[in-house]
Amino acid sequence: MPQTLFDKIWEAHGVGRRADGRDLIYIDRHVLHELHAPHAFEQLKNQERPVRRPDLTFSMQDHTVATLPGRNDETNPPGAAFLRAMREGSERHGIRLFDIDDPEQGISHVVAPELGMVLPGATHAVPDSHASTVGGLGALAFGCGTSELAHILATQTMALKRPQRMLVRLEGRLAPHVGAKDVALRLIGELGVAGARGHVVEYAGAAVRAMPIEARMTLCNLNIEMGGRSGFVAPDDSTFSWLAGRPFAPQGAMWERALARWRTLASDEGAAFERECELDCSTLEPQITWGTDPSQVLGISERVPDPGHADAGRRAAMESALAYMGLAPGMPLAGLPVNRVFIGSCTNSRLPDLEAAADVVRGRRVAEGIIAMIVPGSTTVKRAAEALGLDRIFRESGFFWGESGCSMCAGGNGDRGEPGERCVSTTNRNFEHRQGPKVRTHLVSPETAAATALMGRITDVRQLRQG
Amino acid sequence: MMISFTTHTGVAVPFPGDDINTDQIAPVQAMRSLKPDYKALLFMRDRRRDDGGEDPDFVLNKPQFRNPGMLVAGHNFGAGSSREAAVWGMLANNIRVIVARSFADIYRENCLQNGLLPIVLASVDAQAFEQRVIAVDGAAPFTVDLMAQRISGPGGPDVAFELPPADRMRLLEGLDDIGLTLKHADEIASWEKRTASEQPWLQTAVDSRA
Ligand code: SF4
């Protein structure tokens, strides 16, 4: 019977079936971060259980690290205890730690792929809901909670119920200045924040094939914002050439052997998915969220919707979102003054994201009174950007150029906006208060964020680039 | 170690609305310590007014819901971040049951890991039960019996629910999840052995520069 790629990876990683009917799925790579791992280390200590495969486990310091140059543990005082507990736990168990001052430190979802820890057809877990970012390389990744994290440390498996399968075909060719972020936001807008709940999504179609690997990661990163259990893109030649030579990827003869296997990683013709949907991406314009969840999104030239025209079930949520965001039905978002712009997070902080933003910014200045921040997703990305002179472009135009970490995405390190501020952000969640109490977040692509910083108002990057 | 669940009696709090996310349930700002006050962090932001005072309109601040036992919510409860504090906060407030139209996947997992019972009623029953909980308004408690898979309480007949048998067994027996898996240690070891020969790159993750 024809199989989907998900089925193939799932079955290849099936260790056994537990008494409670759950499948034990082997986890090839497990990446931890300091916000949640310390609690799991403590649990293992209390239970006197060892870590089964420290050699397949990696620790990152990302959520609570400060972004100020010259930072140390104490720069963000509440983070210090987390950083130390992470250090102690990792050392106790012999887990390689990418510490705050490591030249390859960064956000787990950025570092693991760029160092080649993630491989096509492999399984991956992170105690973070955006784990499926690495699906951009054709890996099957699961976000998990703290108890599951401890379970993986002790057993190198997850006990899962088999999810359903969903195929999302993204067809057509993207217009200039429209990218993976815009595609993902539109898709979430179409399917809703629970649209893929219980499903593992395979992203396919011409628009996906044309995306560079970093863009595929942006797409897969946002999979959880439509509730997906996991999401990935089947690997192809772009995947393989992107991975070749990365430090933790197989090398030499082993690479050739792996490659032969990876070339078989695709869904079979006629394989069945429980759900399928298609989005024509050729007419998409840059997208921006207007509300307080990522599905409340519109094209940059569109107007804020009227809850009065929505179905009764959604009306109350729309009204409360409009009130929180300080918006009225029928108004355009373009032209709206903002206070803050943030470019970063596991969604949009890889080198091509920064390059796209730099192309917009080059030779111009951030508008008066706007706080604009760029935080690279990893120290490796930061170095690469600096080698290209991007940091100078950003600094000269008035952007803050930070040290790598999660920063304003969830504010776990104290970077956040002031009450009432309007913030245009390349992150993944526009939930109420996420970027600071009462902060009004609009999610956009790096290009839209950069254009908005320059104008001090929400801006259609296509118009700026023409002018 | 897992806590078992057999029955739980407590006041049912109506918590209507869909897509309640974990940033709302357990704000990151409240998690700035390794051992935060889980009782206080639950819906910390919603509990307070702008001036820092308690918001008397927020449901969990109302006198009849000060000692909650269960929440009754809408669709996709627990969306967003995987933070388990969003479950620990419930337990710290003695909320051991959440009845919702549906749950976000990771949140539901985190509930099962901690002996918090996630119930989804059949849709006809769900609406009636939600209305009943609103009408009762905390005046008397409900009892959830996982053995019998029934909710009983004021204002109407018992309501039946169903949990997948495996999840039910796990909650009833309070099984140690890791212990359950470690019964398969031999299978894990043989999977590793087989994979090390068939796809060795999966079983090693070394820095080729080292
Ligand atoms: S950047 Fe944001 S979403 Fe990504 S891992 Fe960090 S906090 Fe989570």
Side-chain angles (χ1 to χ4, degrees), chain A residues 62-63 107-109 128 130 221 345-347 406 409-410 428 434:
Chain A
D62 55 10
H63 278 68
I107 305 173
S108 68
H109 313 307
D128 187 282
H130 293 94
N221 172 275
S345 88
C346 55
T347 311
C406 295
C409 174
N428 41 56
R434 178 156 164 116

Side-chain angles (χ1 to χ4, degrees), chain A residues 440-457:
Chain A
R440 296 161 164 167
T441 302
H442 296 274
L443 303 178
V444 297
S445 70
E447 285 187 79
T448 300
T452 298
L454 300 178
M455 305 309 289
R457 291 175 275 111

